[in-house]
Amino acid sequence: QVQLVESGGGLVQAGGSLRLSCAASGRTFSSYDVAWFRQAPGKEREFVARISWGGARTYYADSVKGRFTISRDNAKKMVYLQMNSLKPEDAAVYYCAASTRVAGGAGREYDYWGQGTQVTVSS
């Protein structure tokens, strides 16, 4: 079992930065692929970024490529999402998710989810 707790959300002006953190419990966390998803009001949940279990491979949605960076520290059981040049359209609840298998960008591929952290971007 893995429990995920996100933090780091908040209110930021357009063009600003935030760093989201995902703290995990569970002895086998280092073997899980981890992703960030987001969901804005009235919209479907969408994939943002993911990182392979060892951190060697990262993938991003086109909408955040070049602005967001996903990273992980398996020793600390942490995954991060550095978000730069934030836009109003980035505002959403951001969720951390972990998969026991090699996963892609579909939410159904992930077994564990956090409760989410709110990101608000003012224009």
Side-chain angles (χ1 to χ4, degrees), residues 20 34-40 44-51 58-70 80-83 86 89-97 104-107 110 113 119:
L20 305 184
V34 177
W36 288 94
F37 289 80
R38 66 187 181 186
Q39 187 167 19
E44 292 187 355
R45 182 177 60 196
E46 65 173 347
F47 167 79
V48 176
R50 74 176 174 92
I51 188 166
T58 57
Y59 307 86
Y60 298 91
D62 288 343
S63 59
V64 306
K65 202 170 293 182
R67 300 187 298 121
F68 290 12
T69 302
I70 188 171
Y80 307 99
L81 185 68
Q82 178 67 42
M83 306 187 296
L86 282 161
E89 52 263 42
D90 294 318
V93 177
Y94 282 71
Y95 298 92
C96 176
Y110 292 82
W113 292 81
V119 172

Side-chain angles (χ1 to χ4, degrees), residues 1-119:
Q1 289 288 336
V2 172
Q3 290 187 327
L4 304 172
V5 178
E6 303 94 335
S7 62
L11 172 64
V12 63
Q13 287 189 332
S17 298
L18 280 176
R19 187 195 196 202
L20 305 184
S21 298
C22 174
S25 64
R27 292 186 297 174
T28 57
F29 174 73
S30 61
S31 65
Y32 295 169
D33 281 10
V34 177
W36 288 94
F37 289 80
R38 66 187 181 186
Q39 187 167 19
K43 295 187 177 181
E44 292 187 355
R45 182 177 60 196
E46 65 173 347
F47 167 79
V48 176
R50 74 176 174 92
I51 188 166
S52 60
W53 63 270
R57 296 180 298 278
T58 57
Y59 307 86
Y60 298 91
D62 288 343
S63 59
V64 306
K65 202 170 293 182
R67 300 187 298 121
F68 290 12
T69 302
I70 188 171
S71 61
R72 68 190 296 165
D73 183 337
N74 284 339
K76 296 181 179 179
K77 297 183 181 178
M78 297 290 295
V79 174
Y80 307 99
L81 185 68
Q82 178 67 42
M83 306 187 296
N84 298 329
S85 302
L86 282 161
K87 304 175 181 179
E89 52 263 42
D90 294 318
V93 177
Y94 282 71
Y95 298 92
C96 176
S99 174
T100 58
R101 305 166 298 278
V102 175
R108 64 181 181 276
E109 298 178 86
Y110 292 82
D111 306 289
Y112 304 102
W113 292 81
Q115 293 301 306
T117 185
Q118 177 73 52
V119 172

